[in-house]
Amino acid sequence: MAIIIGFPRIGENRELKRALESYWAQKISEQDLLNVAQELRSAHWEHQKDLEFVCVNDFSFYDNMLDLSLSLGAIPERFKGLAGLELYFAMARGAKGIPALEMTKWFNTNYHYVVPELALQTPYLVNAEYIHKQYKEAKAKGFNIKISLIGIFTYLALSRFVDNASFEEHFQAIKKPYLELVAQIAAFEQNPQQITIQFDEPIFVRGEHKEFYNKIKDFYDEIKAIGINVFVSCYFEEAKEALELLAQSKIDGIALDFVYGSTKGIQCLKSTSKRLFAGVVDGRNIWATPLQQRLELLKDIQKILPQTNISVSSSCSLLHVPYTKAKEQKFPEDVSKKICFAYEKIEEIKLLEAKFKNQCTTAQESQWDNQYTYSQNTQSPTQHKQYPIRRKETYRERILMQHSIFKLPLLPTTTIGSFPQTTELRNLRRDFKKGIIDTETYKDGIKAYIRDCIALQEKIGLDVLVHGEPERNDMVEYFGEQLEGFAFSQNGWVQSYGSRCVKPPIIHNNVSRKGTMTVEWILYAQSQTDKIVKGMLTGPVTILNWSFVRDDISRKEVCTQIALAIADEINDLQNAGVKIIQVDEAAFKEGYPLRKEKVAEYEQWATQCFRIATAVAKPEVQIHTHMCYSQFNDIMESIQSLDADVISIECARSGNNLLKAFKEYNYIHEIGPGVYDIHSPQIPTTENIKKQIRAFLEVLPKEQLWINPDCGLKTRKNEEVHPSLTHMIEAVKQIRQEL
Ligand code: GLN
Ligand code: ZN
């Protein structure tokens, strides 16, 4: 029978988000929160009841990696004395001066997990109670159960070793407690054969971490020896290397991703009796499955393995897609029929399984006959407009022209774009969207914000000003809403981390620009000052990486279409006299493929798209870009090939280490390393900022540096931004005198 790898948990109407936030605000009790969780789990299992199993322990109050840390008792020293949910949320979010664990992206999704902190002395107090509770709930309802557990290799590879001990040492330290946890789960039933665990091992698809490959078979044999049913799931790519090892082990089944990976290599399962869960329905994108095509794929697999061993599955957990399109009312009909969220995907999975095994009910037969088929003629008419794909003048030539026009002081100061978003501002945008206020009132409100923002920056003494982005609710959504080819769901929320959800734009058709998107606001801002105001755009790669993207043409093609639309906007901005334009690529790094051999291709088209978007700029127009991370070592070549005149980066938390990568690479373009951390409410002192600038000057020549905060200011309060920027300017003034 068919399965899924996992289900979302935030709730069809984000019930878990609301409950968590009310609990944190002490508006509901712990029992209230537990009740909401229990109701959600049962509702989710109801939707899975016709599958072979319902998923247990895929639910989480915050994150599954964190759950496993707690089940294993991998709790860092600093949380000593805390227990229960208080401990759990302290690890997730920090508490009373105790910093939280770090959080980082789960593979190449937009989901973030809580990074375990392990030391060899970690006492590891194993406790399967929380899993048992969920197990009993599902069992009481009579469901057939599959327990989700993150596999030991994935857990370890994604952990932070605080003691710098080796992987080998940590593996030896954690192995026993991990096996103990599995043994405790096995003991949920008198007969362990009644227990099924799915071990999630997406780390296997990276093909890296060679140090553990020789352990995979033995470890899973030990797990199997406990007597339970063992499945291992590998997703987001193909698991080539690990697949052979798993095939040799004694486990019962393997789940593979045939949407993002291929069926190559499954021959090794032939001489085994293992079950294969064929991930043929995309668990992380939202399009209706091309059923006929996937049926053919299943039949191809059947040429290698007996049909009875093959089951249809989602490619990965459905955590990465919204709940249902049933309540969406605003999709145009042609868009709506192309879309499938989690509930609809479960229907597809059941249908494919039934068709594959010739077990369709009459209803399913007609469902099959009425399936939506991709019209294969949705070709992309990227009319390659006559835009250059590379700027004609070299950086040296351009920067000289720019300097002679701008006449900026040494160490020019600027910000990354957004200024604090106030409640009034959010209400203004919301009221306008709802039609409560008219366009004129809305525009007056935005203009008032821009006037204040410009006046503030002049008063503080910044050199290059911004309009503050008051008209933007989100840096991708704002552009998506104004471009052809995008659609927006009303309730298509996907968990990003903890209680935070995002509603990614949906790119369903060819992208093009309907009209100018930012010119009016930038010009208004410029009309309020004699200083230079930067135009502010989101880059093509970031728009792509933060959206659900159509999959009937390549990502490269979609990205090129977006790039051409951005080029249109840059052209209009420069023709209107805008001298500096920033093209944010906050998510450039997020799109990197998981497997090394695919990286070069991504880099090639992603950097090309950025260049297509920006090469339209005249040499005297300065192109800035901004990226919010602090790991550049392995992407320096791409940074260079973007050919931006100035790049601003996050740096405030890593001293000048980050800059060294630029220096070593001999990067000559200008750089604005963040001089203070905007993610913290702390107001940096002038002295601290001076220290930071001096550290930068140790690495790079003064002529190459800009001075700015490390990201946009929209999440900060005015009371924080004002003194912080004042200190920044004061620091720069003092440093300039020393130079
Ligand atoms: N220009 C954007 C802002 O300032 C950049 C945001 C980001 O990098 N995430 O808000
Ligand atoms: Zn940023």
Side-chain angles (χ1 to χ4, degrees):
M1 277 172 86
I3 68 157
I4 57 170
I5 300 295
F7 198 77
R9 57 224 177 192
I10 204 73
E12 192 179 316
N13 297 304
R14 287 181 295 158
E15 291 86 347
L16 182 59
K17 174 194 175 68
R18 301 227 165 76
L20 283 169
E21 287 169 2
S22 307
Y23 174 73
W24 294 333
Q26 296 179 348
K27 287 186 195 141
I28 64 169
S29 69
E30 173 163 341
Q31 194 52 51
D32 294 335
L33 177 63
L34 296 178
N35 292 345
V36 170
Q38 190 166 344
E39 279 164 28
L40 283 173
R41 286 192 289 257
S42 344
H44 297 164
W45 292 331
E46 271 308 310
H47 283 279
Q48 302 169 51
K49 68 174 189 296
D50 300 328
L51 296 168
E52 180 169 346
F53 307 102
V54 301
C55 303
V56 166
N57 199 40
D58 59 342
F59 181 86
S60 177
F61 280 113
Y62 207 92
D63 166 53
N64 301 113
M65 285 284 284
L66 177 62
D67 295 350
L68 182 53
S69 294
L70 276 127
S71 299
L72 290 168
I75 296 154
E77 265 298 302
R78 63 180 183 278
F79 299 99
K80 217 172 186 162
L82 300 176
L85 278 186
E86 198 187 354
L87 167 65
Y88 183 87
F89 289 126
M91 286 172 74
R93 316 170 64 229
K96 299 185 207 119
I98 315 173
L101 298 184
E102 262 176 56
M103 220 168 33
T104 195
K105 271 166 66 70
W106 177 245
F107 296 88
N108 58 357
T109 70
N110 289 330
Y111 176 77
H112 299 73
Y113 70 91
V114 177
V115 183
E117 275 174 31
L118 305 180
L120 292 181
Q121 309 90 302
T122 302
Y124 291 124
L125 270 177
V126 175
N127 184 349
E129 205 30 59
Y130 171 66
I131 304 172
H132 198 192
K133 181 178 178 308
Q134 301 172 61
Y135 183 84
K136 284 184 288 191
E137 271 171 38
K139 179 142 193 207
K141 295 185 183 292
F143 294 125
N144 200 21
I145 295 167
K146 167 166 69 67
I147 297 168
S148 298
L149 205 63
I150 293 183
I152 191 170
F153 297 104
T154 298
Y155 182 78
L156 269 185
L158 301 186
S159 290
R160 196 157 79 80
F161 301 156
V162 290
D163 52 8
N164 292 320
S166 67
F167 187 93
E168 178 63 35
E169 290 170 292
H170 276 282
F171 182 77
Q172 294 311 334
I174 205 171
K175 189 176 152 188
K176 234 179 89 193
Y178 192 95
L179 288 167
E180 164 65 21
L181 177 64
V182 176
Q184 285 190 15
I185 296 172
F188 292 171
E189 295 290 345
Q190 272 192 335
N191 177 0
Q193 278 174 14
Q194 290 173 4
I195 298 281
T196 298
I197 304 185
Q198 166 190 304
F199 294 88
D200 281 20
E201 292 282 23
I203 197 69
F204 290 168
V205 308
R206 300 204 67 140
E208 291 168 10
H209 300 279
K210 296 281 184 287
E211 71 270 29
F212 61 59
Y213 276 96
N214 60 1
K215 301 185 186 334
I216 293 177
K217 177 184 172 306
D218 291 346
F219 183 77
Y220 276 103
D221 283 347
E222 272 190 73
I223 292 268
K224 180 61 203 170
I226 295 171
I228 54 173
N229 263 305
V230 179
F231 302 150
V232 173
S233 63
C234 310
Y235 40 81
F236 299 146
E237 263 290 353
E238 53 201 46
K240 294 187 200 166
E241 300 85 352
L243 178 55
E244 290 210 10
L245 300 163
L246 290 167
Q248 292 159 22
S249 77
K250 301 196 174 78
I251 63 170
D252 303 280
I254 301 182
L256 295 175
D257 183 334
F258 294 138
V259 178
Y260 296 86
S262 76
T263 55
K264 260 187 284 167
I266 61 168
Q267 277 83 358
C268 65
L269 296 174
K270 197 168 176 165
S271 51
T272 76
S273 56
K274 292 189 196 332
R275 296 186 61 183
L276 172 67
F277 300 97
V280 294
V281 169
D282 195 339
R284 54 183 295 188
N285 209 341
I286 53 159
W287 309 109
T289 304
L291 294 169
Q292 188 58 42
Q293 185 206 4
R294 300 298 151 90
L295 180 64
E296 307 295 331
L297 182 67
L298 289 165
K299 288 182 175 161
D300 284 344
I301 299 172
Q302 200 191 331
K303 288 177 194 151
I304 303 169
L305 304 174
Q307 192 191 52
T308 44
N309 287 358
I310 307 169
S311 291
V312 176
S313 165
S314 59
S315 68
C316 61
S317 169
L318 302 178
L319 173 67
H320 309 290
V321 295
Y323 274 70
T324 176
K325 70 169 179 182
K327 291 183 193 153
E328 298 289 338
Q329 284 143 359
K330 299 220 166 127
F331 287 143
E333 208 192 314
D334 63 317
V335 178
S336 179
K337 67 182 181 205
K338 285 193 240 186
I339 286 178
C340 262
F341 292 163
Y343 295 169
E344 295 85 34
K345 280 178 189 283
I346 289 182
E347 293 310 310
E348 288 186 334
I349 288 167
K350 290 192 301 202
L351 179 58
L352 260 173
E353 171 85 10
K355 188 72 183 176
F356 178 47
K357 309 243 164 115
N358 286 318
Q359 293 162 346
C360 278
T361 59
T362 341
Q364 281 176 320
E365 283 299 354
S366 71
Q367 218 184 325
W368 185 268
D369 294 337
N370 292 324
Q371 66 182 265
Y372 170 75
T373 34
Y374 255 102
S375 41
Q376 293 296 346
N377 59 3
T378 11
Q379 277 188 10
S380 163
T382 316
Q383 335 101 350
H384 284 272
K385 295 196 186 81
Q386 286 315 301
Y387 282 139
I389 60 163
R390 190 173 283 286
R391 294 176 87 178
K392 251 202 337 275
E393 297 73 11
T394 65
Y395 167 73
R396 293 272 189 219
E397 290 163 351
R398 299 190 312 251
I399 202 78
L400 284 176
M401 295 169 80
Q402 294 160 12
H403 284 169
S404 74
I405 299 171
F406 302 168
K407 300 197 168 54
L408 294 169
L410 195 62
L411 302 177
T413 56
T414 190
T415 59
I416 304 303
S418 58
F419 267 69
Q421 296 252 331
T422 56
T423 317
E424 294 96 290
L425 188 56
R426 287 200 197 89
N427 291 346
L428 180 78
R429 283 196 308 257
R430 189 200 54 207
D431 291 350
F432 179 52
K433 230 176 184 166
K434 283 190 177 162
I436 298 172
I437 55 170
D438 61 15
T439 312
E440 204 179 330
T441 315
Y442 168 71
K443 286 193 171 177
D444 285 347
I446 296 291
K447 284 181 179 168
Y449 182 101
I450 293 176
R451 276 198 305 276
D452 291 348
C453 188
I454 294 284
L456 176 69
Q457 295 171 79
E458 285 199 322
K459 182 164 149 240
I460 293 174
L462 286 145
D463 299 314
V464 172
L465 312 192
V466 296
H467 76 298
E469 304 180 22
E471 76 287 18
R472 303 180 194 181
N473 159 45
D474 174 274
M475 65 189 283
V476 170
E477 189 173 76
Y478 177 75
F479 290 93
E481 280 176 342
Q482 299 185 80
L483 289 167
E484 211 73 71
F486 280 76
F488 293 86
S489 65
Q490 293 163 283
N491 199 36
W493 296 99
V494 178
Q495 191 177 18
S496 169
Y497 64 88
S499 67
R500 280 287 287 268
C501 299
V502 293
K503 197 151 60 74
I506 296 168
I507 304 178
H508 64 90
N509 209 333
N510 295 323
V511 175
S512 61
R513 201 182 63 145
K514 295 181 227 177
T516 63
M517 302 184 283
T518 62
V519 178
E520 179 182 4
W521 302 124
I522 305 301
L523 289 191
Y524 180 74
Q526 186 65 79
S527 75
Q528 301 300 306
T529 179
D530 293 331
K531 293 202 165 164
I532 298 177
V533 175
K534 275 198 280 198
M536 202 57 66
L537 304 172
T538 301
V541 186
T542 296
I543 293 180
L544 185 87
N545 285 343
W546 280 343
S547 300
F548 283 124
V549 181
R550 62 190 285 197
D551 61 1
D552 56 334
I553 61 174
S554 69
R555 288 175 77 81
K556 171 186 175 177
E557 187 65 37
V558 178
C559 198
T560 307
Q561 294 178 4
I562 305 170
L564 290 168
I566 300 295
D568 284 340
E569 186 73 9
I570 293 188
N571 201 25
D572 284 347
L573 284 168
Q574 68 180 355
N575 289 335
V578 177
K579 296 186 174 70
I580 301 183
I581 301 167
Q582 178 172 314
V583 181
D584 288 327
E585 283 292 12
F588 184 83
K589 216 180 152 187
E590 297 196 14
Y592 268 68
L594 295 174
R595 293 198 67 98
K596 269 211 180 89
E597 65 268 23
K598 296 190 176 172
V599 164
E601 191 206 344
Y602 171 77
E603 288 182 327
Q604 194 276 330
W605 63 254
T607 56
Q608 173 167 310
C609 285
F610 184 89
R611 288 195 308 272
I612 290 176
T614 52
V616 61
K618 301 171 194 158
E620 64 272 26
V621 171
Q622 187 167 72
I623 296 293
H624 288 217
T625 189
H626 165 70
M627 294 187 180
C628 338
Y629 10 84
S630 39
Q631 283 287 323
F632 284 87
N633 293 295
D634 41 354
I635 64 166
M636 275 313 301
E637 216 165 303
S638 295
I639 301 296
Q640 176 75 61
S641 81
L642 295 180
D643 198 25
D645 299 309
V646 182
I647 181 171
S648 61
I649 52 179
E650 181 176 311
C651 219
R653 280 175 293 184
S654 48
N656 61 7
N657 274 329
L658 167 55
L659 278 192
K660 291 182 180 151
F662 286 83
K663 164 117 177 171
E664 266 157 41
Y665 190 81
N666 206 7
Y667 185 82
I668 56 164
H669 299 209
E670 296 184 356
I671 309 177
V675 297
Y676 77 88
D677 176 12
I678 64 94
H679 305 90
S680 148
Q682 298 288 334
I683 292 161
T685 63
T686 307
E687 270 319 301
N688 269 335
I689 297 178
K690 277 168 70 180
K691 245 175 51 202
Q692 185 75 354
I693 299 175
R694 287 202 187 100
F696 294 154
L697 286 166
E698 279 169 26
V699 184
L700 291 176
K702 52 187 187 292
E703 293 75 19
Q704 206 178 341
L705 286 173
W706 283 67
I707 304 298
N708 44 256
D710 72 352
C711 197
L713 303 167
K714 76 182 204 185
T715 55
R716 297 265 61 90
K717 299 196 174 79
N718 272 316
E719 308 88 85
E720 296 156 359
V721 163
H722 194 150
S724 300
L725 290 179
T726 306
H727 294 168
M728 184 178 95
I729 297 299
E730 187 50 41
V732 175
K733 278 191 186 143
Q734 294 180 20
I735 299 264
R736 278 179 191 151
Q737 301 226 308
E738 294 168 14
L739 295 172

